[in-house]
Amino acid sequence: MDRDTKQTIREQFSPRERTRRGVLAAVLGGGMVGAATTPIRSYLDRFAPFSGSVWDTATDDLPSQVTAPYGSATLGYDDDGVPHVSADSEAALYFAAGYAQGADRLFQMDLQRRQMRGQLSAIVGDRALPSDRFHVKMDFAGAAAASWDRLRESESGRLAEAFAAGVNRHLDRTLPQEFDLLEYEPEPWRPMDILLASIQISWGLTGSFRTLRKETVAAEMGADTAETLFPDRLGHDATILGHGDGAAENERINASIGRHRIDPELTAWVSAFESPPGVGSNSWVVSGEYTRSGSPILANDPHLPLMAPPVWYEMHLDGPETHTRGVTFPGIPFVVIGENESGAWGLTNAGADTIDFYEYETRDGRYRYGEEYREFDDERRIIEVADGRDREVTVRKTIHGPILETESDGDELRTQVAVSWVGLTATRTSEAILELARSDGIDDVQDALRRFDLPTQNFVYADRDGNTLYRVTGKVPIRYTDDEPVSGTRVFDGSSREGEWPGFVPYGESDWDEFIPYEEMPHAVDPDYIGTANQRIVDDADYPHYFAEAYSAPFRGIRLWNRLDTRVESDRPVTSEFMRDLQRDTHDERAAMFVPTMIDDGRDAVDGAAEDLLAELEGWEYRMSRNSRAALVFARFLAHYRDVVFRPRLADELDDRRDPEAYYGNDWVLITLPPDSTWFPDGRPTAIAEALERTAAELEENGWDTYGDYNTTAIDHPFDREWLNYPRYPTDGSAASLDNFRAESDVGSSWRQICPMGDSSPSQGAFPGGNDGSPFSEHYADQLQRWADGEYKPIPLVTPDTTTAVEFTEGDG
């Protein structure tokens, strides 16, 4: 990579500084009209020109030279604010990468670290106490420490130390404005914090309390109702492996439920900190047999919460052993999804069940485990609270894992469950991710995936030698009761040693040989083509182990297989253009399945405005496009239909301390309910009519005319202030379309990549926001509109000539 002179650096930085000052001037010049009467008023005082403390952060730019203890490196930014790092040694490479992340995302990294440690209350007050209690009791920090003890002597451990040193070097400079607004300074970044960041994303993908909700419904409304709302299997043939072989039978090994009545307050509390609803992803890979170039093409777009700044950080690393480009999570040194000179890889959530819950018989403050009573492993910890009273919390653990419990006003325990989760033991995923970046072909990739312990993911791969690969990563426990394998679909009696995980050691090193063997994890080597959309992976009859409690609804999977099958069976080759079109496909299979029923059932049940809305659906092609009126009608109808069908009965039969919406069946359950279902006390046509009437009233009240009026980006900064939030743009897609966007939950395609292995053109990507976390940067949200419009940018595995450089030179600093 070319190194610019200091004069060139000054010239390149100058426009960035002017842009930041321009944003600042807009804020001071009236962009916050009406703010004088809001809490932001005290913040604005800090923006006084030349004296307000935030001014310094707005005009702070990177230096031209930085001393580094690991050797020379060069850091530059391209026109999209993506850092390109080159170095003479791997340690110098990751030191510079850490410096870049510290410069661009330090507040985001620190905020996420505080959340996982249970330290938010120390900066925002007692509003964060429920979150802090949960994270302290789960002791995610203890799990990160266990992983660091295992990792510290490895090469990835040494590179983690270099990365952390790079982050900390940036702490010597002016801190981002969020620290000033909250009036605190971050602690130094530690290598263990890298592992904590990894645990955070793993929990966000695999941490689920579905079992507790299903047990509650079974205990209070009956097992049949629980199975209706929370089915283990959905009847479709869109499985990832065995596609087209027929729908799976709804069978389970020892899957009895309804024996445990879970305290509603406990379920409500912990459910607030599980995987966001609907989080998933798309990926597919097509071999050279069906492509124009004769080489494979890979596509991936993970669906994660859309945030400001984004959940991903894009970077390009070029060192003596590592040459890779893609995205990582802020705080993690290694590219997680991307490509290198040999091949490309992508990830989607596999949905494997890696969490279980246990209740105990207790006596005199001890819990029974088999034939003996054991002491709880208790530790008192203090949660610091800004401008309030600090709280003491008991971190309580059993042989299975941490205890989650509700408390009375007198702090006496009322109910409790222990949690076993794969992420609470030492894992090696950081080693695997580093090895993927350095891989030289499919054999290296397969070897690296043996150490990909967490989370369970659908991994797809294609390389320039023509190989393709699909494999589920991660460790999945084999549960036993009385030496017999059982499923993990219910709360276990821990005292009777039900549902044991042999080899599992919470906050220590587990024996992975007792889990599902690597060779027996679902996989396919050199598939002609394969697609994943979080749907069921295998049929139970074809797989020897219990694997998952449930999967996502198969709407995206059905559409993906339909389009892939149609294309490869035609005379038209697969191209990068086809892959882009597939990622932007707005067809909603929910509508295709249910709109005919809406029209048939609703025709004689509605009149007036509701009848007019029903007419909008006649002849519609089920595409969730921003300029479509029918898409708007269907999207809002479905939201109201869920409420009409599920809310009355759940609110009536469940304890009123619970939010009924948390117990709704998913959209597959909703639209496949038979017309004589007990969920339609007045008949399905009546339910459809009521939902249409609510929709008509809502559209009139809000003045929405087309789908884009409702379906807009609403990606906000944690402070949720207008001048910090991203702009609103209308966009396409829905929760059930491959072009994935969910306006109601701010979840969607958090990164799009298309990687052709044989084309002369580079890979392409799309990013929902900006790579720089500073609101005063021109790269704060500069890619958002292109993303909302379905546009892509080239992401070549080379360093652009126009990059401005920061040089790292040998020295202690």
Side-chain angles (χ1 to χ4, degrees), residues 204-226:
L205 293 171
T206 64
S208 170
F209 295 104
R210 180 184 190 272
T211 300
L212 302 187
R213 290 189 293 276
K214 186 172 183 178
E215 283 275 6
T216 297
V217 172
E220 300 190 19
M221 300 178 67
D224 289 344
T225 300

Side-chain angles (χ1 to χ4, degrees), residues 111-166:
L111 195 67
Q112 292 173 169
R113 170 176 62 174
R114 282 186 166 275
Q115 180 186 39
M116 293 301 286
R117 287 182 180 177
Q119 297 176 341
L120 288 176
S121 298
I123 59 171
V124 301
D126 58 11
R127 291 170 298 170
L129 275 173
S131 174
D132 283 351
R133 277 190 64 232
F134 174 80
H135 289 90
V136 168
K137 284 181 174 292
M138 285 293 292
D139 195 15
F140 292 117
S147 289
W148 176 241
D149 286 343
R150 183 170 190 165
L151 185 70
R152 68 169 70 239
E153 299 301 326
S154 68
E155 182 178 10
S156 58
R158 291 188 289 273
L159 296 180
E161 290 179 327
F163 175 87

Side-chain angles (χ1 to χ4, degrees), residues 545-578:
H545 305 287
Y546 163 74
F547 194 75
E549 183 174 10
Y551 295 96
S552 294
F555 303 112
R556 286 180 290 114
I558 291 171
R559 178 62 173 176
L560 177 56
W561 275 121
N562 178 269
R563 290 208 58 186
L564 285 175
D565 289 343
T566 300
R567 185 73 172 204
V568 301
E569 291 168 6
S570 72
D571 295 330
R572 295 173 297 166
V574 172
T575 62
S576 292
E577 291 76 17
F578 170 77

Side-chain angles (χ1 to χ4, degrees), residues 710-721:
Y710 161 75
N711 204 58
T712 63
T713 61
I715 304 172
D716 295 339
H717 187 277
F719 287 177
D720 191 21
R721 300 299 178 188

Side-chain angles (χ1 to χ4, degrees), residues 602-624:
R603 184 177 289 113
D604 297 328
V606 297
D607 55 21
E611 185 177 15
D612 293 340
L613 292 189
L614 199 60
E616 296 281 357
L617 302 177
E618 296 277 3
W620 179 43
E621 296 182 346
Y622 315 128
R623 297 189 178 278
M624 306 300 287

Side-chain angles (χ1 to χ4, degrees), residues 434-446:
L434 173 62
E435 291 169 12
L436 285 175
R438 295 175 169 181
S439 61
D440 186 18
I442 192 169
D443 291 339
D444 286 351
V445 167
Q446 290 264 46

Side-chain angles (χ1 to χ4, degrees), residues 7 65 204 311 445 528 701:
Q7 180 62 32
Q65 288 193 336
V311 67
V445 167
D528 288 340
E701 179 182 356

Side-chain angles (χ1 to χ4, degrees), residues 262-467:
I262 307 301
D263 189 308
E265 291 186 5
L266 174 64
T267 303
W269 170 50
V270 298
S271 293
F273 309 109
E274 66 181 345
S275 309
V279 165
S281 306
N282 300 323
S283 70
W284 50 89
V285 62
V286 178
S287 73
E289 181 177 352
Y290 298 107
T291 66
R292 177 178 295 165
S293 67
S295 297
I297 307 178
L298 178 143
N300 186 205
D301 60 299
H303 308 157
L304 294 172
L306 302 175
M307 308 186 307
V311 67
W312 294 105
Y313 180 78
E314 188 182 355
M315 63 183 185
H316 172 210
L317 304 179
D318 186 5
E321 299 180 58
T322 301
H323 188 199
T324 184
R325 176 168 183 168
V327 291
T328 188
F329 299 107
I332 295 179
F334 315 118
V335 167
V336 175
I337 292 175
E339 70 175 312
N340 63 12
E341 292 174 323
S342 295
W345 58 93
L347 300 167
T348 68
N349 202 23
D353 189 354
T354 61
I355 188 170
D356 277 326
F357 309 96
Y358 304 83
E359 287 194 323
Y360 303 99
E361 174 187 333
T362 60
R363 179 190 300 172
D364 299 328
R366 297 181 297 166
Y367 70 99
R368 183 171 70 83
Y369 180 68
E371 301 302 319
E372 63 177 344
Y373 280 85
R374 297 191 175 193
E375 299 286 343
F376 289 99
D377 179 7
D378 287 355
E379 179 184 350
R380 294 282 182 174
R381 297 190 188 175
I382 300 298
I383 296 178
E384 182 182 348
V385 181
D387 302 321
R389 176 176 60 89
D390 294 347
R391 305 296 203 278
E392 186 178 81
V393 172
T394 299
V395 179
R396 172 165 291 185
K397 300 173 183 175
T398 71
I399 192 171
H400 296 112
I403 289 283
L404 296 177
E405 58 208 0
T406 57
E407 298 179 0
S408 68
D409 293 338
D411 289 340
E412 294 180 0
L413 304 180
R414 288 206 307 239
T415 187
Q416 57 188 18
V417 294
V419 182
S420 287
W421 178 56
V422 171
L424 295 178
T425 191
T427 59
R428 305 163 295 173
T429 302
S430 292
E431 297 177 67
I433 296 296
L434 173 62
E435 291 169 12
L436 285 175
R438 295 175 169 181
S439 61
D440 186 18
I442 192 169
D443 291 339
D444 286 351
V445 167
Q446 290 264 46
D447 186 59
L449 294 182
R450 289 181 178 274
R451 284 170 286 283
F452 199 118
D453 299 329
L454 185 80
T456 50
Q457 296 283 284
N458 296 303
F459 178 91
V460 292
Y461 173 76
D463 66 26
R464 303 182 207 285
D465 291 330
N467 299 299

